[in-house]
Amino acid sequence: MKEDFEKSKRSLGIKNKRKGSDAERFYVNVFKELGYKHCVTSRLGSKLHDNAGVDIINIPFNIQIKAGKQ
């Protein structure tokens, strides 16, 4: 029973991680279309920014993306 709970919890974490990463990539593409050609996710561009909770870098402001049901 506990194993099923842990497996379910792990599966949910993987799903949430994928949803967040997909949202970050989506918004990077939006900003690139707006002319910010050097825009990337902080995970790709800067460990320091990523650790500070900034998700998108190389634009004139800091962005943190939250993906979830509204």
Side-chain angles (χ1 to χ4, degrees):
M1 187 125 164
K2 185 176 179 181
E3 287 179 17
D4 291 337
F5 174 74
E6 291 298 322
K7 186 175 181 181
S8 172
K9 188 175 172 182
R10 215 170 319 136
S11 176
L12 183 60
I14 291 168
K15 189 182 295 185
N16 288 340
K17 172 77 170 109
R18 183 174 45 243
K19 184 187 284 188
S21 294
D22 289 347
E24 289 174 15
R25 286 189 294 270
F26 172 81
Y27 283 104
V28 162
N29 288 327
V30 168
F31 284 107
K32 282 184 175 183
E33 289 175 7
L34 292 172
Y36 298 102
K37 62 182 178 179
H38 299 293
C39 181
V40 293
T41 64
S42 63
R43 188 166 296 117
L44 173 66
S46 169
K47 181 76 170 153
L48 182 62
H49 283 95
D50 193 37
N51 289 342
V54 177
D55 292 325
I56 297 177
I57 60 172
N58 297 334
I59 56 176
F61 36 87
N62 293 328
I63 296 180
Q64 185 177 53
I65 304 295
K66 296 294 180 191
K69 291 186 177 182
Q70 300 296 319

